Amino acid sequence: MLSKFKTAALAATVSLAASAATAGAGDYTFEPIKAEMKKGDDVTLAVRLINKQTGKQVPDAVIFKTRVDMAPDGMAEMESAVAPLPSKEPGVYAFRTDLPMPGRYQMTLSAKVQGEAETVTGKVIVTATK
């Protein structure tokens, strides 16, 4: 009986370790707070970082690389500068950028999340209207 208990405990430990080992950068996604906004200069573009396994927002990530361009409309060379803004809500990351013309813009982000060895990278598409 004791042997069966030890075997079950070992199997449970291995299972938990395997599931923790499979967690990684692909377990996170960026989502826009607003998918549509007016075109213009100094537009605030905010995203949330979500843990797909828990469905919860991830606070305290360090976003170290951002890019905004019009790649979805075939104009990747139409790039806008991006500046971080202070966060008003845990798990929400805001940036100031220019969306000079109507169309679809892609924001590419790279972040470090506490406890993750891999860099989390994602793309968010928003639409600028007149």
Side-chain angles (χ1 to χ4, degrees):
M1 180 75 155
L2 188 55
S3 177
K4 286 183 182 179
F5 178 73
K6 285 182 182 178
T7 303
L10 179 61
T13 303
V14 170
S15 175
L16 285 173
S19 66
T22 59
D27 293 326
Y28 299 90
T29 187
F30 287 98
E31 299 176 349
I33 299 298
K34 287 176 52 178
E36 191 171 291
M37 59 199 67
K38 289 192 178 232
K39 74 175 183 77
D41 295 335
D42 292 332
V43 172
T44 298
L45 200 159
V47 299
R48 65 176 54 97
L49 179 56
I50 303 289
N51 180 318
K52 293 179 189 177
Q53 293 180 341
T54 65
K56 295 182 180 179
Q57 292 182 184
V58 178
D60 302 323
V62 177
I63 298 180
F64 63 90
K65 187 174 180 184
T66 54
R67 176 183 165 100
V68 172
D69 59 44
M70 291 192 77
D73 285 345
M75 296 183 281
E77 69 280 356
M78 291 280 297
E79 183 179 356
S80 294
V82 182
L85 295 172
S87 179
K88 295 180 180 176
E89 179 184 341
V92 174
Y93 304 90
F95 304 89
R96 176 160 292 141
T97 190
D98 296 335
L99 305 178
M101 60 190 283
R104 293 178 299 157
Y105 289 82
Q106 174 176 278
M107 181 173 211
T108 305
L109 305 109
S110 294
K112 292 306 264 179
V113 174
Q114 283 187 337
E116 291 296 339
E118 299 174 328
T119 297
V120 175
T121 302
K123 296 178 189 233
V124 173
I125 296 177
V126 297
T127 302
T129 60
K130 290 184 181 185

